[in-house]
Amino acid sequence: MDRIIFHIDVNSAYLSWSAVHRLQQGDSLDIRTVSAVIGGDEASRHGIVLAKSTLAKKYGIKTGNPLREAYNLCPNLIVIPPDYNLYVKASQAMVNIFHDYSPRVQQFSIDECFLDYSNMSYHHGAPLEVAHTISNRIEKELGFTVNVGISSNKLLAKMASEFEKPNKVHTLFPDELEEKMWPLPVDELFMVGRQTKRQLHQLGIHTIGDLAQANTDMLYTYMKSHGLLIQSFARGLDHSPVRKSNFEVVKGIGNSTTIRFDANTYDIAYKVLLSLCETICMRLRSSELVCQLISVSIVTADFKHASHQRKLYSTTDSTSHIFYIAKELFDELWAGSPIRKLGIRISELSDNDFTQLCVLDTDDYIKEQRKDHAVDQIRRKHGTTAIYRACFLHSGIKPMSGGVGEEHYPVMTSLL
DNA sequence: TCTGGGGTCCTAGGACCC
DNA sequence: TCTGGGGTCCTAGGACCC
């Protein structure tokens, strides 16, 4: 029995969600109908385009553009700051609707879902019909539009939802591949980014069809396993199941931040690291997990990336402990050049129910644990700024940085 | 093009073991 | 100590996704 998979993608997600919210608040202007973008704060160096309206797109504005550039392309551009808490809520409301049509829903990112509709036609109707029903319900009940792609696997469903936008339903079944997907430029294929596109062009491969028909040995020679992966995608092959939502099987937790100014002292860098640790560790503990691998990354003012990581002998969820390691890693890493961005990531996660106590200083460990939990509770009850370390007073550095809100945030992954 | 923040996976070299 | 091959683990960096 053939599978039926839907891929649902919110049109200009952040912009649409902010638009709906503003209308609900009584604003008369629908920002979807003018040239508008969602973007960060330029003064604190977070100024890039996160989402754009169709009109803004017509001016040539792309996601990821610096706001400065976007203004140059369209001087009367409206820029609205992101509201991540709102986006998490809007996303959840949409997922709830999907569950009316299938129990097998995988949230792939904040604005994308896969839905396994195999063997469900008897209950809700033919795939194409029900795709329209879902799309209409979202528009009517939640106020924004989506694209739906339908196929027999996730890869093709995802490719289908990328076709004409907005507010459209497309199919891309295997017998439609040659006509609908093969003529497209090769970089429109999932997992073909800038570097891969460049390599493929050097091999004379320009369309998805070229890639599908290319010599497999040659692809392997030049691109190793990635070459085989994208060729099987070009041929429409993908057997991955609609699995649990990615955030239910999170592999690591990381936060990073671009500092408002280039940091050039240990004091500032340590404060930023501590504020990142606070956020990460609270996320870690509220997921009832512990970690065993800690990595620190630096982006210097000249955009050079570097990172160091260390595996611990035992697992931990202590803010002080993780901060201590992070400081050491940073010391190894930093050669003194001005720092633009700092990041920490913890991984090799496991359940916290059998935390192995280090033979040394168990007393300290237990004390730390109590303290961490007490602070977590206060923050959950009274907000993240209800309690913070004195060193952040008048420092110009936020006591908790990174993160997008109180709630769990769906993670994104390149793996179907 | 002065370019955010959250993720995952792969590769390659070196250490270490047998 | 002039020397093979295979396996695993660790680390740093780079590719990709939204």
Side-chain angles (χ1 to χ4, degrees), chain A residues 116-289:
Chain A
D116 188 344
Y117 195 67
S118 310
N119 306 315
M120 297 297 283
S121 296
Y122 175 79
H123 302 280
H124 303 289
L128 207 57
E129 273 172 45
V130 84
H132 279 106
T133 308
I134 292 174
S135 163
N136 292 338
R137 267 193 69 186
I138 290 172
E139 189 172 7
K140 201 168 146 214
E141 295 173 27
L142 305 177
F144 55 87
T145 64
V146 297
N147 259 40
V148 185
I150 308 174
S151 187
S152 51
N153 67 44
K154 287 161 73 178
L155 182 269
L156 292 177
K158 183 163 167 57
M159 293 301 295
S161 71
E162 297 290 314
F163 294 162
E164 195 194 352
K165 297 173 180 178
N167 204 8
K168 293 279 192 301
V169 176
H170 300 283
T171 63
L172 179 59
F173 287 104
D175 61 349
E176 301 175 289
L177 268 194
E178 274 192 63
E179 175 208 344
K180 290 186 175 178
M181 192 170 88
W182 283 10
L184 298 176
V186 74
D187 57 309
E188 288 190 23
L189 185 65
F190 181 67
M191 291 301 285
V192 176
R194 260 216 337 268
Q195 288 304 312
T196 309
K197 173 189 172 185
R198 195 177 49 76
Q199 281 188 68
L200 290 171
H201 280 188
Q202 279 171 6
L203 297 172
I205 295 167
H206 292 91
T207 65
I208 298 180
D210 291 343
L211 177 58
Q213 292 165 316
N215 180 286
T216 307
D217 291 339
M218 176 192 70
L219 286 173
Y220 187 78
T221 307
Y222 287 98
M223 316 180 68
K224 298 292 162 63
S225 62
H226 191 61
L228 304 186
L229 178 77
I230 57 178
Q231 184 174 54
S232 65
F233 284 173
R235 292 173 175 173
L237 302 173
D238 164 42
H239 300 287
S240 62
V242 173
R243 40 170 72 91
K244 277 187 173 178
S245 290
N246 308 64
F247 55 84
E248 295 173 51
V249 285
V250 60
K251 301 243 165 92
I253 298 173
N255 281 123
S256 62
T257 187
T258 295
I259 308 163
R260 314 175 97 87
F261 48 88
D262 290 333
N264 48 22
T265 66
Y266 282 97
D267 182 56
I268 296 170
Y270 287 168
K271 283 197 174 97
V272 175
L273 286 177
L274 178 57
S275 79
L276 290 165
C277 273
E278 294 269 18
T279 318
I280 289 172
C281 292
M282 187 165 167
R283 288 173 65 195
L284 180 69
R285 290 187 294 266
S286 60
S287 316
E288 303 187 319
L289 296 168

Side-chain angles (χ1 to χ4, degrees), chain A residues 42-43 47-49 65-75 77 79:
Chain A
E42 264 184 291
I48 64 157
V49 173
N65 280 160
L67 282 182
R68 182 52 39 92
E69 208 177 307
Y71 277 124
N72 288 340
L73 291 165
C74 173
L77 187 70
V79 179

Side-chain angles (χ1 to χ4, degrees), chain A residues 5 40 88 101 113 138 143 181 195 235 250 264 302 366 376 395:
Chain A
I5 309 293
V88 171
Y101 300 90
C113 281
I138 290 172
M181 192 170 88
Q195 288 304 312
R235 292 173 175 173
V250 60
N264 48 22
D302 53 353
I366 290 167
D376 287 349
S395 68

Side-chain angles (χ1 to χ4, degrees), chain A residues 314 356-362 365:
Chain A
S314 58
Q356 202 182 335
L357 288 182
C358 197
V359 193
L360 306 163
D361 57 42
T362 41
Y365 187 87

